[in-house]
């Protein structure tokens, strides 16, 4: 049973990365391993990481408006290699083959390190007995499917919406409306649980959903300049609840 704030909620959607599973921690572990394993050309892992972070930030800012978006939706590999290539280029290293190998190690190690947060399975299992559950997750189709597979949680989520499969991602209204249709409920009877204020919480509030914002200390991208999880401005819209552990959703 959900806490009283969510009386009237009849279905629950979750974000995946850094809401249910340790994506940024896994990504950092994967990058570290990749850069340590390939010390060619004399660059240090620290230098590679900091150049990768710069390349990553500028890439994600524009990806939706470029030809890369179509490729990114279908497969994580093409853009992952491209980011490594750009990182190397920033270090004056022009080596396509090395970009490919770095990308491969990063992918394998990130996937190996990815796990559910300690309380996630217990909470999902309890809620799945009482509510239809779903996922709305951004990212390439193949990567998100592999994550769901690796985490072994597919059976709990009859409704799964992946950006790469629909070529529509959060915060786009259409993906939330598709999710409403899938459970056949009006927005006010659906709860969204997510870690990203900008991509999960703000749009869900705007489209009339109930919201739970989960904030975890590990929620810091490798490209972060502050080293801290995302903040929201004082005048910004507030979620119904802010939590740091998924068990806080349960009464
Ligand atoms: Mg997330």
């Amino acid at each position: 049973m959900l806490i009283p704030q969510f009386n009237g909620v009849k279905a629950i959607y979750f974000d995946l990365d850094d809401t249910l599973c340790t994506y940024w921690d896994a990504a950092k572990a994967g990058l570290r391993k990749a850069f340590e394993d390939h010390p060619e050309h004399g660059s240090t892992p620290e230098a590679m990481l900091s150049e990768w972070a710069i390349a990553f930030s500028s890439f994600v800012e524009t990806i939706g408006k470029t030809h890369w978006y179509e490729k990114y939706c279908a497969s994580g590999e093409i853009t992952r290699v491209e980011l490594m290539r750009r990182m190397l280029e920033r270090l004056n290293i022009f080596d396509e083959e090395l970009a490919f190998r770095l990308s491969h190690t990063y992918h394998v190690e990130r996937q190996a390190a990815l796990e559910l947060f300690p309380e996630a399975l217990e909470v999902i299992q309890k809620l799945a007995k009482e509510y239809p559950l779903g996922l709305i997750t951004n990212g390439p189709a193949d990567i998100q499917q592999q994550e769901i597979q690796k985490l072994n949680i597919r059976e709990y989520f009859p409704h799964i919406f992946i950006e790469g499969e629909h070529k529509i991602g959060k915060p786009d209204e259409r993906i939330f409306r598709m999710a409403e249709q899938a459970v056949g409920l009006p927005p006010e009877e659906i709860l969204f649980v997510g870690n990203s204020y900008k991509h999960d919480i703000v749009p869900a509030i705007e489209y009339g959903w109930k919201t739970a914002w989960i904030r975890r200390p590990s929620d810091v991208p490798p490209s972060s300049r502050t080293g801290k999880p995302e903040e929201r401005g004082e005048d910004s819209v507030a979620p119904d609840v802010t939590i740091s552990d998924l068990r806080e959703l349960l009464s």
Side-chain angles (χ1 to χ4, degrees):
M1 202 61 190
L2 288 165
I3 49 176
Q5 284 94 322
F6 296 128
N7 279 347
V9 163
K10 298 200 177 96
I12 309 167
Y13 278 93
F14 288 85
D15 163 62
L16 181 58
D17 292 332
D18 292 294
T19 294
L20 297 177
C21 68
T22 60
Y23 183 80
W24 284 132
D25 275 352
K28 286 181 210 164
L31 288 170
R32 204 176 309 122
K33 189 82 170 69
F35 298 153
E36 283 168 3
D37 278 5
H38 299 281
E40 294 95 328
H41 305 286
S43 209
T44 64
E46 292 73 30
M48 290 166 107
L49 182 62
S50 100
E51 296 305 331
W52 182 90
I54 294 169
F56 176 82
S57 298
S58 74
F59 196 61
V60 293
E61 247 169 64
T62 57
I63 189 170
K65 303 175 197 109
T66 67
H67 70 284
W68 287 106
Y69 188 65
E70 190 91 358
K71 300 183 180 87
Y72 164 84
C73 280
S75 147
E77 185 183 14
I78 303 166
T79 50
R80 203 171 50 238
V81 173
E82 173 65 10
L83 269 177
M84 290 298 179
R85 198 189 62 73
R86 291 186 187 188
M87 176 275 289
L88 292 170
E89 209 173 86
R90 296 182 61 87
L91 292 164
N92 280 315
I93 302 167
F94 301 89
D95 186 337
E96 300 278 335
E97 210 250 319
L98 178 58
F100 188 84
R101 279 187 289 135
L102 285 168
S103 162
H104 181 74
T105 307
Y106 169 40
H107 174 59
V108 170
E109 296 293 334
R110 185 185 70 198
Q111 197 64 6
L114 190 74
E115 50 186 27
L116 288 172
F117 286 107
E119 84 282 10
L121 188 61
E122 161 200 341
V123 173
I124 295 166
Q125 284 174 332
K126 279 188 182 151
L127 291 175
K129 286 185 190 138
E130 295 178 68
Y131 305 87
L133 301 186
L135 295 173
I136 308 178
T137 176
N138 282 4
D142 62 339
I143 298 298
Q144 294 300 309
Q145 288 289 358
Q146 287 165 23
E147 287 188 20
I148 294 165
Q149 197 70 25
K150 155 96 209 269
L151 299 168
N152 204 13
I153 52 172
R154 194 180 303 274
E155 63 180 296
Y156 305 108
F157 297 97
H159 309 289
I160 297 179
F161 292 88
I162 298 175
E163 177 186 20
E165 291 179 356
H166 297 278
K167 299 191 176 63
I168 304 168
K170 297 170 291 185
D172 192 308
E173 179 174 4
R174 288 172 295 171
I175 201 89
F176 288 86
R177 298 305 181 208
M178 284 161 73
E180 288 168 13
Q181 282 194 345
V183 290
L185 292 168
E188 63 273 16
E189 293 179 3
I190 309 175
L191 167 63
F192 195 71
V193 185
N195 70 302
S196 166
Y197 180 70
K198 221 162 72 186
H199 292 111
D200 299 327
I201 302 306
V202 170
I205 293 172
E206 193 181 333
Y207 309 140
W209 294 32
K210 298 281 185 284
T211 53
W213 185 25
I214 181 143
R215 306 191 69 209
R216 301 178 185 273
S218 64
D219 188 0
V220 180
S223 56
S224 166
R225 287 187 203 135
T226 62
K228 289 189 190 132
E230 186 185 14
E231 299 282 350
R232 70 175 179 91
E234 272 175 30
D235 297 331
S236 58
V237 285
D240 293 296
V241 299
T242 301
I243 57 176
S244 58
D245 182 306
L246 293 167
R247 281 172 295 197
E248 292 169 58
L249 293 171
L250 306 174
S251 62

